[in-house]
Amino acid sequence: MFLTASELSRFASRYRANLMNTISGYKSANLIGTRSVEGINNLAIFNSVLHMGSKPPLLGLLFRPLTVRRDTYENIKSTGYFTVNAVDKTIFRQAHQTAAKYAQDTSEFEATGLTEKFIDGIPAPFVKESPIQLGCAYENEYPIAENGTLLVLGAIKTIEFQDTMLQTDGSLALNRAEIVSSVGLDGYALPTLLERLHYAKPDIPTRSLEDGTQEN
Amino acid sequence: MFLTASELSRFASRYRANLMNTISGYKSANLIGTRSVEGINNLAIFNSVLHMGSKPPLLGLLFRPLTVRRDTYENIKSTGYFTVNAVDKTIFRQAHQTAAKYAQDTSEFEATGLTEKFIDGIPAPFVKESPIQLGCAYENEYPIAENGTLLVLGAIKTIEFQDTMLQTDGSLALNRAEIVSSVGLDGYALPTLLERLHYAKPDIPTRSLEDGTQEN
């Protein structure tokens, strides 16, 4: 099927959103934990967490236009902190349920049965059930003029993960913790690792990384 | 395992990069096609394509700092166009190989055996083998002050995909085309759909979307 932008613009809003949210491929699935100044804990699923860089360790979080109430954004701005928690196969339904429009004084932890966890120095709730838990501090934001979205940058301050995932080269085997990926607006998928590959070099055929060690 | 930012900063650069590139979860895997003003076609794998919005249809593409030669970026700036092509199970090794540092006058299409395809109005090569092919026009860019990366926005002008993927609500079933997701710097995974869920509402339990129709 072939479509132009003008054909696309004539689709119903929901149909177009479903198509647009799937055409860029699989996304990450993370729960963002925040706390309001009134002490209400908030939890929200995001599929727009972006690795921004390793030095310094930075994540991006794309927010939809702030034309409606965005508790997560307000909490990040007022406390300066948020947590990022990977979604695995055991909690993806609860993670999805955090997207419901609960009242502002309702904690999505209580509503969904996920468990709050706190550590010193990070005034935002982690998700105890999550296999990867990142504590982040607000760093900056970039308003996107073209559509009113907002890219919020966070500096990673703490990292906690299940030991079994760690490989000798520092990478995490996401499949060992059954971490899921997100598909469009409402789908969840469990990836199976096909292969890790050596860094590509001209004139050397693509090679599988079977021993876990990259040549530089 | 628990790590603070300062412990993280003492790791070797490659180890830290491997960890940082996996902790945010699964990523999309796309090939970016561009053409230089001299007519050399370029193809490069990216795992940083971000859905930015549906109205207008916008994608983001995060570039690492432009301190080394970035053919893809230079071509986008000089021609105004690029293509985004989904990576599936049949081409992921060739897609990975595009990351090799080929000479500037070498086309990654020729080097990897992937097939160029052109359509009217988009002066950039598509990947014929790819199950989803997007033609995009450069829209804007946002330099990220914190680490020198660059977020480039593209407006989607054309969309082509395998008919078998289209579902009644406009979303694409990525699994039907065996589209892969990216893990860290060198891994490729094949996701299996677990479930699609109804839009979450307070006080209604999470429900599977078995009939393919969302209630609004």
Side-chain angles (χ1 to χ4, degrees):
Chain A
M1 182 165 297
F2 183 85
L3 298 166
T4 63
S6 71
E7 288 166 335
L8 187 68
S9 69
R10 290 195 289 271
F11 287 140
S13 163
R14 179 65 66 190
Y15 190 95
R16 184 178 56 231
N18 281 329
L19 180 58
M20 288 300 102
N21 273 280
T22 45
I23 54 171
S24 61
Y26 289 99
K27 302 172 183 182
S28 56
N30 285 289
L31 284 161
I32 307 301
T34 56
R35 185 165 210 173
S36 72
V37 287
E38 294 82 16
I40 307 290
N41 293 321
N42 189 285
L43 195 61
I45 190 160
F46 273 72
N47 61 17
S48 63
V49 172
L50 185 64
H51 166 79
M52 300 284 296
S54 302
K55 192 180 178 180
L58 283 176
L59 289 178
L61 202 54
L62 188 71
F63 283 83
R64 295 175 64 186
L66 302 172
T67 46
V68 299
R69 203 187 85 208
R70 302 273 177 220
D71 293 341
T72 298
Y73 176 73
E74 295 304 328
N75 293 347
I76 291 175
K77 288 292 281 192
S78 57
T79 67
Y81 286 89
F82 62 99
T83 70
V84 177
N85 307 270
V87 176
D88 70 17
K89 193 181 170 185
T90 67
I91 62 170
F92 80 88
R93 291 185 190 86
Q94 288 158 291
H96 182 79
Q97 186 62 26
T98 64
K101 289 188 181 69
Y102 291 106
Q104 202 157 10
D105 61 358
T106 300
S107 162
E108 286 82 6
F109 284 95
E110 287 171 32
T112 64
L114 291 168
T115 313
E116 297 163 7
K117 177 184 136 181
F118 287 90
I119 63 174
D120 283 350
I122 308 286
F126 293 86
V127 178
K128 190 180 174 210
E129 290 84 354
S130 174
I132 306 176
Q133 302 170 23
L134 310 176
C136 300
Y138 173 90
E139 186 79 21
N140 200 356
E141 64 188 45
Y142 293 85
I144 306 299
E146 286 68 23
N147 64 359
T149 56
L150 185 69
L151 181 68
V152 170
L153 261 60
I156 300 174
K157 297 298 182 187
T158 65
I159 302 177
E160 191 165 1
F161 53 83
Q162 290 178 2
D163 293 357
T164 51
M165 300 170 70
L166 185 62
Q167 301 176 106
T168 53
D169 62 358
S171 65
L172 299 185
L174 303 177
N175 50 311
R176 289 187 199 153
E178 296 196 308
I179 288 170
V180 301
S181 77
S182 158
V183 188
L185 294 165
D186 53 32
Y188 298 89
L190 184 65
T192 303
L193 186 68
L194 292 171
E195 202 167 22
R196 292 185 67 194
L197 298 173
H198 273 282
Y199 293 134
K201 293 178 183 179
D203 305 322
I204 297 181
T206 313
R207 291 164 301 153
S208 179
L209 185 66
E210 294 188 339
D211 59 1
T213 306
Q214 283 283 5
E215 298 157 15
N216 283 300
Chain B
M1 182 165 296
F2 181 85
L3 297 167
T4 63
S6 72
E7 287 166 334
L8 188 68
S9 69
R10 290 195 290 271
F11 287 141
S13 162
R14 178 66 67 190
Y15 190 96
R16 182 177 57 230
N18 281 330
L19 181 57
M20 288 300 102
N21 272 280
T22 45
I23 54 171
S24 60
Y26 288 99
K27 303 172 183 182
S28 56
N30 285 290
L31 283 162
I32 307 300
T34 57
R35 187 166 207 171
S36 73
V37 287
E38 294 82 16
I40 307 291
N41 293 320
N42 190 284
L43 195 61
I45 190 159
F46 273 71
N47 60 17
S48 63
V49 172
L50 185 65
H51 167 78
M52 300 283 296
S54 301
K55 192 179 179 182
L58 283 176
L59 290 179
L61 201 54
L62 188 71
F63 283 84
R64 296 175 63 186
L66 302 173
T67 47
V68 300
R69 203 187 86 210
R70 302 275 178 216
D71 293 341
T72 298
Y73 176 73
E74 295 303 328
N75 292 347
I76 291 175
K77 289 292 281 192
S78 57
T79 67
Y81 286 88
F82 63 100
T83 70
V84 177
N85 307 270
V87 176
D88 70 18
K89 193 182 170 186
T90 67
I91 62 169
F92 81 88
R93 291 185 189 85
Q94 289 158 290
H96 182 79
Q97 185 63 25
T98 64
K101 288 188 181 68
Y102 291 107
Q104 200 158 11
D105 61 357
T106 299
S107 162
E108 286 82 5
F109 284 96
E110 287 170 32
T112 64
L114 291 168
T115 313
E116 299 162 6
K117 176 183 136 181
F118 287 90
I119 64 174
D120 283 349
I122 307 287
F126 293 86
V127 178
K128 190 179 174 212
E129 291 84 354
S130 174
I132 306 177
Q133 302 169 23
L134 311 175
C136 300
Y138 173 90
E139 187 81 19
N140 200 356
E141 64 188 44
Y142 293 86
I144 306 300
E146 285 68 24
N147 64 359
T149 57
L150 185 69
L151 182 68
V152 170
L153 261 60
I156 300 175
K157 297 299 183 185
T158 65
I159 302 177
E160 191 166 359
F161 54 83
Q162 289 179 3
D163 294 356
T164 50
M165 301 169 69
L166 185 62
Q167 300 176 107
T168 53
D169 63 358
S171 65
L172 298 186
L174 303 177
N175 51 311
R176 289 188 198 153
E178 296 197 310
I179 289 170
V180 301
S181 77
S182 159
V183 189
L185 294 164
D186 54 30
Y188 298 89
L190 184 64
T192 302
L193 185 67
L194 292 171
E195 202 167 21
R196 292 185 68 193
L197 298 173
H198 273 282
Y199 293 133
K201 293 178 183 180
D203 305 321
I204 297 182
T206 312
R207 291 165 301 153
S208 179
L209 185 64
E210 293 187 341
D211 59 1
T213 305
Q214 283 284 7
E215 299 156 14
N216 283 300

